[in-house]
């Protein structure tokens, strides 16, 4: 587990700089005082991951951020599909935590059934595969997609909040979800406002991963 | 998540006092400095939980420890079957974490497949049901039982270590386990020695639950 | 199997006396002439089981009814969650049958897919776990909950019948159910009227369990 | 459920007359006094069902025994694969019970995990499909095949008993079975001797189906 | 794999002659030039397979077409339930391909999730069992039934096309299907028009099976 | 489906040139006369894929071979994990077939249960994930790993054959496999000798994919 001088490196899977800043802000807000958080993005790769193709192009740059790092005690992959997670664990003995799996474990501790609310309809298959890989498909009430791209979530926070609220309400009322997992790193920071509107726990994947990384 | 004055109550499901002390020792060893840990046992109930019957008799006393408590910020159910977990979550809005689920999430972050090594053969069905309830059956390489009762694990630590080593080696060699979950609170404290012998991660459920409780 | 002097003890999981009487009436109506039925309720415990907490508080009193009994040839747990079933089977070599599993086996012999129609929305998770424990999730078309509490089912039989009819029709039309399992012992006695309205088999769990207990 | 003048027709799926007589004997031994049992075999079809090909050739003759019957109150398909069960239920509103499903429900009421011990190795796939169709694969510890053909089980009862004992002991010791289902109608009558040797419940499928048919 | 003089026998499971002609037309249209296709129907059996009963009556006649054939290099079972497939493979070492499994493999290569659009509501269970037997239930978005009988699909092609379009659009919009499998041999020949209307791949099971039979 | 001038590009996932030549030889041997086969390897990437890390590094180079190609009618990913398959299908409307899924469909048409025999023990998790992604885990008897690296399979064909024979025999005798899938493109060409030794079908993944690519 993290010692007083613990350093955690968060790797945004996207090369979109404002998203890196947003992720860093969420992480700094929930970390223990003694934890040092450094948030980076790959040197090259797609601006945002909106498809399997984007994801596979991003992975070598993500893994490079681990290979070149000699200072951090743990790594967080900050893209909801946990891209390259198995490979990351092969190349370092230090803990590597995906934000998707972290948010699903947190949800599983809070609710019998939960839903993932995420970006464009075309990522449904990616999200379902991620839930499946983590092993928790049986506890997933639904995956609810929206008309938001990853970059949209950064651009208009008010519209994003409204769209997430509507999708989450459907998940709660029609699918039986008792908690909501935000299925994109770009949604980080909206969890409290969304929780106030919905009345059920809303899990920010970045915050969940920071807390688990401090625990491992 | 835990604030500086965070208080976590650990409830040993068994009324065996030495086991409560042992659990408390493991928890104190891994907690953050600012966390306050209080370890208790039910006022009445079976000395050790070795069957479904024992488990059901223990649950009302376990739940009473939550109902009567107005000071703690989070609760840990320290018996590997997570007895009464769903009910505990009904009666308090404060987080309640089972040591079984906590250890399985930790294992899932460390290994593609893991095994649970536990006590008597007759608890196999209980352990399999616990893994199933958590949703992670698909990642479980095997459940390996032994000739140790719960109370045996407290009595002779050297013999316990040898028996756990043998069972774990079978799990690694024959079942493909890449990590071992100790499937009984009474085994807490042996994880480091076992890890040294086996060369794969060994997860103590009590420690895993303390770290998760500090994170939630 | 039951001999001519066969005695079956039915244990209502709730301490609500009118429900015990109702269960007894249903059982007496379907038993073979030579079978002796005795219906009891725990000496202490919740009046009705409407949550996991209620269920766990009821189990010790249910198990006591088995331990103290030296005369009965078989036991029936008359609460749809089959509370304490595994423990009951540990403490006696005599057959113990849960009304939930009994009704699911009967349904499985009559229909490719069936639904469980039951009480309040908040028991959905309990009912799904019961179906899962029995092993028949793959044959379950749906679990349909209503706004009826367990005690409501005893109070206003006409309203109960109407509400069950509406929920069952949704299960048949939208979920593809070919038979309906009544998911609460308090609904016992309404099966014939409901079957007349719906045109598909309706299974009363108490009757199903009596017939299986006479068979084992 | 069966009235005092209840008549149950058992249809041996095989046209082997000694097996029909043996099945009839097992059924007569367990029926209630008032039940009338008639055991028949198809007019044409394979002498014994040892393959999928045999099974499909037998089904039209099995179904004919239902179509031509106007007197019976219930039917039992006495061949462990429950051949033609779905079709049988289409052509009559009277209850039709397969001996395989009947034995699995009985096993499920007696044991957390059970094994099916059956005939030649080449029927393993047939048996696994039957268990799967019933929905209970998750409760099946194993399918253990032997070097006995269906006709062998009728010819040498002592050798059959020895071979079943050996296979059952492996199921108990290596696969964790807590009860044994005899996976062939031809094994009917050996259950008591086998149970005495093994010390766990042994379920004769014909007897299980008779008791369920009397209950439905 | 097929040599230049390859001969494939297609066995229509139904004895409806116009359907045999239609199936033959679809097969001739997609075969390689050197492949010889012969399409037959059983000598006796139901005109169309609309139930499990029809299916079991058809199987002996289907299998006879294999037993009597000494010339063909491969067989195709042209009825969507793949009736008698396991038995067919027992009685000949030559490849036997079911049109249902062939269409599901093709769908699996084209789409993450696909739906089966088929005939009357009462065949839903048959279709789900077929998908399950092939092993691909997890990739099946839905089974959509219609008010078309098997014979209807031959009688009014325009109405059939409209009904299939409506059902397929629901599968795409509500169930997330990315491809459509036509779940009846009688629908063969409509795939191109349907694909033009829907904008997603539509798989004709007969064509899929011919291509796989040429490949094996 | 392939027209007379059909061109299929096979992309070896490894940059090991002798393996590309071997794959090409296997493909040329089974193709139809009119089919044109071109076998390439990525311009950059790992010499052989022996881990998740290797696989993720190889994918961008594999995808580049599709993006740059304007002549081929279909693509085959010739590395058993089907690396980048979902992304490949995003970037081209032309058919893309993975050799792993192709071999599993072929196995599923030939055997009720089959095993994958493959390279080093550490790729077991990769292979199991590939089988799972294809949806056919329920039909997989076992994954048998060996002490062969991917490059070993090219170096010493006699030793490779002996090691594959031993592993396959265990799969047949202990796991109930009725067919063997060779789980590495480097094993291509050994299938006939292995089939002669084993007496059950042995499926070469490259050949399976060529035949399916000609069919789609």
């Amino acid at each position: 587990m993290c010692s007083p001088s613990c350093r955690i490196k968060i790797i945004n899977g996207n090369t979109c700089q404002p998203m890196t800043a947003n992720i860093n802000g969420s992480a700094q807000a929930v970390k223990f005082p003694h934890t040092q958080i450094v948030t980076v993005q790959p040197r090259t790769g797609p601006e945002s991951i909106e498809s399997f193709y984007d994801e596979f192009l991003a992975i070598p740059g993500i893994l490079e951020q681990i290979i070149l790092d000699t200072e951090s005690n743990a790594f967080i992959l900050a893209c909801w599909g946990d891209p390259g997670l198995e490979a990351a664990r092969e190349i370092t003995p230090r803990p590597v935590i995906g934000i998707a799996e972290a948010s699903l474990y947190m949800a599983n501790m809070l609710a019998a059934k939960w839903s993932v609310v995420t970006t464009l309809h075309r990522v449904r298959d990616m999200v379902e595969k991620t839930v499946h890989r983590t092993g928790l498909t049986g506890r997933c009430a639904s995956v609810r997609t929206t008309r938001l791209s990853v970059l949209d979530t950064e651009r208009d926070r008010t519209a994003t909040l409204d769209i997430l609220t509507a999708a989450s309400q459907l998940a709660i009322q029609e699918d039986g979800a008792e908690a909501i997992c935000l299925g994109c790193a770009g949604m980080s920071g909206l969890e409290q406002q969304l929780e106030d509107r919905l009345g059920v726990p809303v899990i920010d994947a970045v915050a969940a991963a920071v807390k688990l990384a401090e625990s491992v």
Side-chain angles (χ1 to χ4, degrees), chain A:
Chain A
M1 90 215 78
C2 266
S3 64
S5 59
C6 173
R7 177 187 151 117
I8 296 170
K9 184 190 233 182
I10 302 177
I11 306 166
N12 177 14
N14 311 274
T15 58
C16 166
Q17 211 286 322
M19 190 181 304
T20 305
N22 183 35
I23 289 169
N24 189 57
S26 291
Q28 301 290 349
V30 300
K31 76 178 185 67
F32 286 123
H34 57 76
T35 305
Q36 184 189 353
I37 300 273
V38 180
T39 307
V40 301
Q41 59 193 40
R43 294 194 300 180
T44 60
E47 188 184 10
S48 71
I49 296 179
E50 315 265 13
S51 65
F52 277 112
Y53 180 65
D54 293 338
E55 186 170 301
F56 286 123
L57 286 199
I59 290 175
I62 292 170
L63 297 176
E64 186 193 45
Q65 289 297 323
I66 294 172
I67 293 170
L68 298 177
D69 184 300
T70 58
E71 295 173 88
S72 301
N73 303 96
F75 300 94
I76 291 173
L77 303 188
C79 174
W80 210 87
D82 296 348
L85 183 62
E86 300 95 335
R89 288 176 179 161
E90 285 176 351
I91 60 180
T92 179
R94 291 171 285 176
V96 183
I97 293 169
I99 64 168
E101 63 165 356
S103 64
L104 299 187
Y105 299 144
M106 286 293 178
N108 231 33
M109 283 191 278
L110 292 171
K113 288 280 176 80
W114 34 262
S115 288
V116 181
V117 175
T118 187
T119 55
L120 298 174
H121 302 302
R122 67 176 176 173
V123 303
R124 168 186 297 278
D125 185 42
M126 295 173 70
V127 171
E128 289 182 352
K129 284 203 167 83
T130 300
V131 175
H132 207 266
R133 185 171 55 174
T134 304
L136 293 172
T137 298
R139 297 282 291 270
C140 178
S142 62
V143 173
R144 286 269 174 184
T145 54
T146 60
R147 58 183 171 77
L148 293 165
S149 73
V150 172
L151 293 181
D152 287 339
T153 66
E154 295 292 330
R155 279 194 208 105
D156 185 340
R157 300 297 269 183
T158 307
T160 295
L161 190 59
D162 288 346
I163 290 169
L164 293 178
T165 303
S168 299
Q169 283 170 338
L170 288 173
I172 294 165
Q173 289 159 19
E174 298 192 1
D175 310 330
E178 299 169 16
I180 299 295
C181 291
L182 295 179
C184 172
M187 297 168 182
S188 193
L190 297 173
E191 62 276 12
Q192 193 54 57
Q193 287 167 275
L194 196 57
E195 194 166 304
D196 292 345
R197 290 187 182 190
L198 297 172
V200 305
V202 175
I203 294 151
D204 170 40
V206 173
V210 169
K211 299 319 297 179
L212 283 185
E214 291 176 325
S215 300
V216 171

